[in-house]
Amino acid sequence: MMIAAACGARVVAVDVSPGALELARRFGAAACVEGPDRVAETVREITGGGAHVSLDALGSPATCAASVESLRRRGRHVQVGLLPPAAGPAVVPMHRVIALELEVLGSHGMAAHAYGPMVAMVASGALRPDLLVTRTIGLADAPAALAAMDTAPAAGATVIAP
């Protein structure tokens, strides 16, 4: 979200966590949608017909489908969050992909050749990843923090300090 906003995109952030949405607002989101209900419809309303690009970083079948459903004609969906088989099959609304000529892409992350421009954005202050750190915990607290991720996810990033 921070990267897209820094590059000039009008970002609509979607999350189920009010804390995460507050961070999104702080870092440049033009609009925020609290899920999970009516996410695609709300995004299409806010954007006047749908997003040009949607990105699902969570990786659940429901968020993947909502992300594709939120796109406008010739939009592009990028699936970053893994969709493990244990979460159930991801049902991509292919009727919409075909009718609206959408692109569906998968991504494992940024290619190494693009690190230079990204680091330059951090060095210039255009990107402030340090502001995403909202909590620091000790190594002994890591197992409990990992176990709580499904039930009480923290907004922002948690750093584990030795």
Side-chain angles (χ1 to χ4, degrees), residues 110-116:
M110 190 168 76
H113 69 80
Y115 288 179

Side-chain angles (χ1 to χ4, degrees), residues 22-125:
E22 183 52 41
L23 279 178
R25 280 185 201 89
R26 189 169 137 205
F27 298 130
C32 293
V33 177
E34 188 170 346
D37 300 322
R38 296 194 68 249
V39 167
E41 296 87 348
T42 304
V43 170
R44 288 195 309 264
E45 289 168 12
I46 290 169
T47 58
H52 291 277
V53 177
S54 66
L55 187 138
D56 172 22
L58 180 63
S60 80
T63 57
C64 175
S67 185
V68 172
E69 292 279 353
S70 73
L71 292 168
R72 68 177 58 233
R73 178 171 295 284
R74 300 217 170 184
R76 177 183 297 169
H77 166 73
V78 182
Q79 187 64 45
V80 177
L82 298 176
L83 289 160
V91 180
V92 175
M94 290 306 293
H95 65 285
R96 188 170 177 84
V97 171
I98 294 164
L100 298 180
E101 299 178 308
L102 304 177
E103 290 183 63
V104 177
L105 305 169
S107 176
H108 277 285
M110 190 168 76
H113 69 80
Y115 288 179
M118 183 70 59
V119 170
M121 291 179 77
V122 172
S124 74

